Amino acid sequence: MKKGIVCFRDILFWFSILLISVLFLVILFFILKGDFCFYCDSNCAFSNWVLHVLSILHPFRAIFNALLILLPIVIALETFHKNVNAQECQSLLELRKELGNESNMKVHMELKKDYDEIVKNGALKNYENLEDENSALDNYLGTIELINIYLKKGIISEKEFHNQFGYRIDYILKNQYLMTYINSEHYIVWANLHELIALRKKFNNN
C-alpha cells in the first residue's frame, strides 16, 4: 500500500511539474511574441491588461484547472506519506522495545550463540526438550510474528524488515531443532512466522 501511494504521489507530482512547465513556455511564447504588452498606451489601465492577458490564456484554461485540482492532491499525499513514515518509525521503535525486554533478549542471545556455533563449528544446542523453555520461546516467536502483521498492513516496508530484523530470522532458520518445533504440529500456529521465513529465504537466495 505504501509503495502504491508513493508511486501515485510521484506520478501526480511530475505531471504537475509538466503542466507548470508547459504553462511557463506558453506564457514565455506570448511575452516574446509581444502579446503580453505591459505598456499599451497612456490610457491602458492595469485591469484592462489583466483582462487582455486572461483572454490570451483562455484557450489554456484546462491547464489551470488541472493544476488547481492536482496540487492540493499532491500536498495531501505528501502529508499522508510523512505520517506513514512517522508511524513506521514509531512501530519499529515499539517492536524493538518489545524484542529488547529481558525474556526476549534471553532467547535471542541463546539463538545467537547457537547460530555462531553452527557457523563456526557446526555445533548446536539441543532444543529437543523444550518443555522448560516453551513459554519464553513462544513469546519471542510471537513477537517476531508481529513483523509479518506489520508488513501485511503496510506499516513497515520489506526493506526495513530485512535491515532491522532479517538476522533474527536467520538465527531461527539455522536452528534445526527450532525449525522442527515450528514445522511440526505447530505449523498452523506459526503461519505468520513461516511467511517471514519464506520471505527471508527468498532474499537470501537472491
Side-chain angles (χ1 to χ4, degrees):
M1 183 184 75
K2 185 181 175 183
K3 287 183 180 179
I5 290 171
V6 172
C7 183
F8 183 60
R9 181 206 61 185
D10 289 343
I11 290 172
L12 289 183
F13 173 78
W14 288 111
F15 188 62
S16 299
I17 293 296
L18 176 63
L19 290 180
I20 292 172
S21 300
V22 170
L23 189 59
F24 174 77
L25 290 174
V26 167
I27 293 173
L28 183 62
F29 170 76
F30 282 115
I31 289 175
L32 295 175
K33 190 180 174 186
D35 288 337
F36 280 5
C37 179
F38 291 90
Y39 305 100
C40 297
D41 52 51
S42 57
N43 297 319
C44 179
F46 178 74
S47 58
N48 291 335
W49 176 80
V50 172
L51 291 173
H52 174 64
V53 170
L54 290 177
S55 67
I56 293 173
L57 295 178
H58 184 72
F60 305 95
R61 64 187 182 281
I63 297 178
F64 286 100
N65 293 337
L67 284 172
L68 288 174
I69 295 171
L70 286 177
L71 290 178
I73 294 175
V74 170
I75 293 170
L77 287 175
E78 180 63 25
T79 303
F80 179 77
H81 181 242
K82 287 181 178 178
N83 290 337
V84 169
N85 284 339
Q87 183 186 25
E88 180 178 15
C89 291
Q90 183 61 33
S91 299
L92 287 171
L93 181 62
E94 291 174 0
L95 196 53
R96 281 206 162 275
K97 282 182 179 178
E98 185 63 28
L99 288 169
N101 68 35
E102 186 178 353
S103 173
N104 283 332
M105 277 303 297
K106 183 179 178 182
V107 175
H108 170 65
M109 294 311 295
E110 288 292 328
L111 291 176
K112 183 180 184 303
K113 251 190 285 183
D114 290 344
Y115 180 83
D116 292 340
E117 283 297 314
I118 294 165
V119 171
K120 186 177 178 181
N121 303 316
L124 179 68
K125 176 182 174 182
N126 190 345
Y127 270 88
E128 287 178 313
N129 183 10
L130 291 166
E131 293 303 318
D132 296 333
E133 302 186 19
N134 263 353
S135 178
L137 189 61
D138 286 352
N139 181 68
Y140 178 77
L141 296 178
T143 306
I144 292 291
E145 281 197 308
L146 287 174
I147 299 168
N148 195 49
I149 295 171
Y150 281 8
L151 274 171
K152 288 193 286 190
K153 289 183 178 295
I155 296 174
I156 66 171
S157 65
E158 190 174 315
K159 179 182 178 181
E160 288 303 329
F161 156 60
H162 291 298
N163 288 343
Q164 300 284 335
F165 309 107
Y167 65 96
R168 293 177 184 266
I169 303 299
D170 291 338
Y171 294 166
I172 295 170
L173 264 170
K174 204 77 174 175
N175 194 303
Q176 66 187 59
Y177 293 110
L178 191 51
M179 288 301 295
T180 299
Y181 173 65
I182 64 175
N183 276 325
S184 57
E185 69 274 12
H186 302 88
Y187 191 92
I188 297 177
V189 175
W190 301 116
N192 279 299
L193 185 57
H194 283 291
E195 288 180 13
L196 286 179
I197 289 171
L199 195 60
R200 187 61 180 175
K201 280 182 178 178
K202 183 180 177 181
F203 178 83
N204 289 337
N205 290 333
N206 289 338

